Amino acid sequence: MRERVVAACDGASKGNPGPAGWAWVVSDDARTAARWEAGALGTATNNVAELTALERLLAATDPDTPLEVRMDSQYAMKAVTTWLPGWKRNGWKTAAGKPVANQELVVRIDELLEGRSVDFRYVPAHQADGDPLNDFADRAASQAARVQEAAGSALGSPQPPPSPDTPKAAAPRRKAPRRTGSASSASSSTSSSSRTIKAKFPGRCLCGRSYAAGESIAKNAQGWGHPECRTADA
């Protein structure tokens, strides 16, 4: 038995029902698409597209190789892992006695799962940092639904464009520059040196002129004096 293969599948319907498509992707490193395929379904529901994507993936992979399938569809995953055993016991009827929806697809998937080792893993859709394989399958299915054309690695198709439904990762916030101690000290010094007071006693400025008590004076490099002399000295 070969080493496990990691894959993802997804379906899309633009209107539900509306133009629909499916896609699957297989990876060698659990992150990067090694091969993929997408196709159109005409007008279909989202559930049909999701189940079709799973059916095509199972049909395209080796049944002897363990498979991990990543999906963002709760319906498709529960249909084949939780509800299917009960549907089979009830003759393909729901607990309410109604026919199982999309029965033909579910029966086909059940046949493809027979005797296989398949691990289903749910991954949320349209996340900025979400699962890269599921994101690839989502984009490929959406493109197939829009253009209604087949695509894939075997056809040499380019990778599907980004989905407008997936938010972009937030840009890292830049920190404001820290104010250094010297800048703070300089600001404090400037504030202190620019302060003026009323002289309590008469005195003489360094310019040689005297000043009277009560006159405005300012601190100079060599003592107290006229504010304009401090400015000239600075």
Side-chain angles (χ1 to χ4, degrees):
M1 185 176 289
R2 291 173 53 192
E3 188 176 351
R4 183 185 64 167
V5 168
V6 179
C9 61
D10 204 357
S13 175
K14 306 304 180 180
N16 199 28
W22 56 268
W24 57 259
V25 55
V26 172
S27 175
D28 290 334
D29 60 7
R31 293 189 60 83
T32 309
R35 62 189 182 98
W36 61 283
E37 185 178 356
L41 287 172
T43 300
T45 65
N46 191 65
N47 287 344
V48 167
E50 297 280 6
L51 290 172
T52 300
L54 176 57
E55 185 267 332
R56 299 298 175 89
L57 170 63
L58 294 173
T61 49
D62 185 354
D64 294 329
T65 302
L67 185 66
E68 176 185 309
V69 180
R70 299 176 182 179
M71 309 177 68
D72 60 32
S73 170
Q74 293 274 17
Y75 163 77
M77 182 179 293
K78 288 183 177 180
V80 300
T81 62
T82 305
W83 304 327
L84 194 150
W87 288 343
K88 292 173 68 175
R89 287 194 303 268
N90 293 338
W92 295 104
K93 296 289 182 64
T94 66
K98 296 181 180 180
V100 172
N102 309 312
Q103 180 179 329
E104 185 176 342
L105 275 170
V106 177
V107 170
R108 173 62 176 155
I109 291 171
D110 183 41
E111 293 171 350
L112 290 168
L113 288 172
E114 186 69 30
R116 295 186 64 162
S117 173
V118 181
D119 179 29
F120 289 93
R121 176 184 164 194
Y122 173 76
V123 291
H126 309 304
Q127 304 294 310
D129 56 348
D131 181 79
L133 295 184
N134 176 256
D135 176 68
F136 191 105
D138 173 79
R139 292 186 284 120
S142 292
Q143 184 181 41
R146 285 193 299 269
V147 303
Q148 289 295 294
E149 293 180 359
S153 52
L155 299 175
S157 306
Q159 291 195 6
S163 170
D165 298 324
T166 301
K168 294 182 179 179
R173 299 180 63 181
R174 298 181 62 183
K175 292 183 179 180
R178 292 180 58 188
R179 298 182 62 183
T180 62
S182 59
S184 178
S185 297
S187 175
S188 176
S189 175
T190 301
S191 176
S192 176
S193 63
S194 64
R195 184 169 58 92
T196 61
I197 63 173
K198 298 293 184 179
K200 291 184 178 181
F201 307 99
R204 186 174 296 277
C205 178
L206 60 87
C207 70
R209 294 180 294 121
S210 61
Y211 56 83
E215 189 176 345
S216 295
I217 58 174
K219 185 72 175 291
N220 293 282
Q222 300 177 14
W224 292 89
H226 304 112
E228 61 271 21
C229 294
R230 178 201 61 76
T231 304
D233 183 62

